[in-house]
Amino acid sequence: MSDGKTTQTKNQRILLAGILAAGLLAAVFATGQLMAPQSATAQDNGNQTSTQPPVTSADDVDCATDPSLVHCAEDAELISAPIDDSDKATLTTSGSATTKTQPDRFTVTVGVETSGETAREAASQNANMTATVIAALQELGIAEEQMSTSSYSVYPVYGNSSDRVCIEIYPPPPECQQTEITGYKASSSISVTLDADGEVDAGQVIDTAIEAGANNVSGVYFFLSSEKQQDVRDGLIADAIADARQRADAAADALGMQVSGIHSVTLNDVHFPIFYSTPEALKADTQILPGEQEVTSTVSITYFISGGVADEGEDGSMAAVAAAREFILSKLSGLGIEIDDELDLHTDMVAQISENEYHLEFGVMDTEGQSHDGHIEIVDGEVTVAILDGESML
């Protein structure tokens, strides 16, 4: 009986071990199936990555797109590209221009001052008189939008409450410090702004206002309108820059050098004076003459200066640049491109291809503010290729 139980126990253990072994094998198989697709994917990704072309540099892409660029040529030696200007010689000059001009606008300020025992009375009288003045100015042909109230106030008037005569000393005696309100005053002023060459002049405005009841004229201001200021400013700046350039050329010539570029420009503010006139109060037929105003503009310019135009004994790159500039300047007008100054033509990059061959990139800024880009190739001092805005210049 004992032997039977032992045998049964052994069989149960063997069966349990078999079940565990079968489960383990199933788990290993399932894991292998899951890993296989991932491994295959990784291998595919690896193969895909290895077949991608290598990343090219920006220069390679540029050269593939446009092999005419100077740095794409074989054995090209870069002479200059973006140039460091820190070691270049500079010359700073100032220029000025002055002109006389007549103001085209004026402002007249007239006022009314009234008194009353109460603030309401003073203000009421002032309002009536001001309305009369405004109506008279409108009859003169002045529109409402050409007039504006520039000031208005109502204030008390103080007086001594004692009949005693007080001397002017400081501090005043106690009995002289007792003051009380004895009345009120109201004051208002109107500013009229018109064209200086219009049908109504400043004198007519003053006389009409006084006849209508105005008892205060603050003054007359003649000035330049914003539009005329801009016209005068533009003309002065151009003349001042021309003056500075003339002085720079003279200085560079005395040094045996020449102006080769602009480093910086400083434009100083143009100050427009205001002509002020105070007419004699309550005088009929007032004559107000604006006269001329003198306006001055100044500029300060720092130029780059260099030696004279390269000859055969000097650096070949300088000779190439000089030859290129001469060629370009001779062709611009025929291409319908106008420039204000030769400095509007600038060389951006020079590359020496061989002992006697140079390639240049250049830019031109025309009088309308449009930029033009070009490429030139020079062999033995002669232009063999010239392209501007994608078109041949030859």
Side-chain angles (χ1 to χ4, degrees):
M1 191 73 177
S2 172
D3 292 339
K5 289 183 178 180
T6 301
T7 301
Q8 185 179 4
T9 300
K10 289 181 179 180
N11 291 337
Q12 290 177 349
R13 290 178 178 175
I14 292 172
L15 179 60
L16 180 58
I19 293 173
L20 291 175
L24 180 60
L25 288 174
V28 171
F29 178 78
T31 302
Q33 291 297 319
L34 291 173
M35 293 295 291
Q38 295 179 2
S39 178
T41 302
Q43 291 176 1
D44 290 342
N45 289 340
N47 292 335
Q48 184 178 1
T49 303
S50 64
T51 60
Q52 290 181 349
V55 178
T56 56
S57 66
D59 287 344
D60 292 336
V61 173
D62 290 342
C63 291
T65 304
D66 187 2
S68 67
L69 294 175
V70 295
H71 63 281
C72 297
E74 294 183 2
D75 301 326
E77 179 184 354
L78 193 62
I79 302 300
S80 65
I83 301 172
D84 180 10
D85 298 328
S86 59
D87 59 346
K88 286 189 175 182
T90 60
L91 172 67
T92 300
T93 63
S94 61
S96 63
T98 301
T99 187
K100 289 185 177 181
T101 183
Q102 281 217 338
D104 62 336
R105 301 279 284 172
F106 71 85
T107 296
V108 177
T109 301
V110 296
V112 173
E113 186 175 272
T114 56
S115 302
E117 295 183 358
T118 64
R120 181 182 295 275
E121 180 183 353
S124 178
Q125 291 182 14
N126 190 279
N128 293 334
M129 292 181 64
T130 300
T132 302
V133 172
I134 292 176
L137 293 175
Q138 288 177 330
E139 290 181 4
L140 190 61
I142 300 174
E144 184 176 344
E145 58 268 19
Q146 294 173 311
M147 295 183 284
S148 62
T149 300
S150 54
S151 68
Y152 181 83
S153 62
V154 178
Y155 53 92
V157 177
Y158 293 92
N160 195 335
S161 60
S162 173
D163 294 335
R164 180 178 177 177
V165 177
C166 296
I167 60 175
E168 295 183 359
I169 60 173
Y170 185 84
E175 60 272 16
C176 292
Q177 297 182 19
Q178 299 176 4
T179 58
E180 62 180 11
I181 296 176
T182 59
Y184 288 86
K185 284 189 176 183
S187 176
S188 64
S189 60
I190 301 170
S191 294
V192 179
T193 302
L194 300 171
D195 292 332
D197 57 354
E199 296 181 357
V200 179
D201 59 33
Q204 289 176 288
V205 174
I206 294 172
D207 294 338
T208 300
I210 291 174
E211 291 173 3
N215 50 22
N216 182 23
V217 179
S218 299
V220 183
Y221 301 87
F222 289 91
F223 60 94
L224 271 66
S225 63
S226 299
E227 295 79 9
K228 189 167 185 179
Q229 285 186 23
Q230 188 62 47
D231 291 340
V232 173
R233 184 184 291 108
D234 291 345
L236 288 176
I237 289 175
D239 292 342
I241 290 176
D243 181 52
R245 177 59 190 270
Q246 183 178 6
R247 297 178 65 185
D249 286 337
D253 184 64
L255 296 170
M257 305 180 77
Q258 66 178 7
V259 174
S260 58
I262 296 177
H263 179 270
S264 64
V265 178
T266 301
L267 301 178
N268 299 317
D269 290 337
V270 179
H271 298 286
F272 294 92
I274 296 178
F275 177 82
Y276 173 77
S277 175
T278 302
E280 188 176 341
L282 306 181
K283 180 180 178 180
D285 300 327
T286 305
Q287 297 294 319
I288 304 294
L289 302 177
E292 286 188 326
Q293 296 178 352
E294 189 173 273
V295 184
T296 301
S297 174
T298 60
V299 300
S300 178
I301 305 178
T302 299
Y303 295 94
F304 290 120
I305 55 175
S306 59
V309 177
D311 55 28
E312 295 181 358
E314 294 181 60
D315 183 26
S317 64
M318 294 182 63
V321 171
R325 291 183 63 86
E326 181 180 359
F327 173 83
I328 297 167
L329 292 172
S330 68
K331 295 289 185 179
L332 289 180
S333 180
L335 296 173
I337 298 176
E338 301 294 335
I339 60 175
D340 292 322
D341 193 278
E342 291 185 8
L343 296 180
D344 292 328
L345 165 62
H346 56 88
T347 303
D348 298 325
M349 186 181 296
V350 183
Q352 184 175 4
I353 307 304
S354 64
E355 183 177 354
N356 60 347
E357 182 177 356
Y358 295 86
H359 292 185
L360 301 89
E361 305 289 344
F362 67 92
V364 178
M365 183 68 70
D366 64 24
T367 54
E368 297 181 356
Q370 298 295 321
S371 179
H372 306 269
D373 298 321
H375 169 81
I376 276 190
E377 297 179 9
I378 296 178
V379 179
D380 294 327
E382 299 293 331
V383 177
T384 58
V385 175
I387 298 173
L388 182 63
D389 293 337
E391 301 290 338
S392 175
M393 300 175 64
L394 295 175

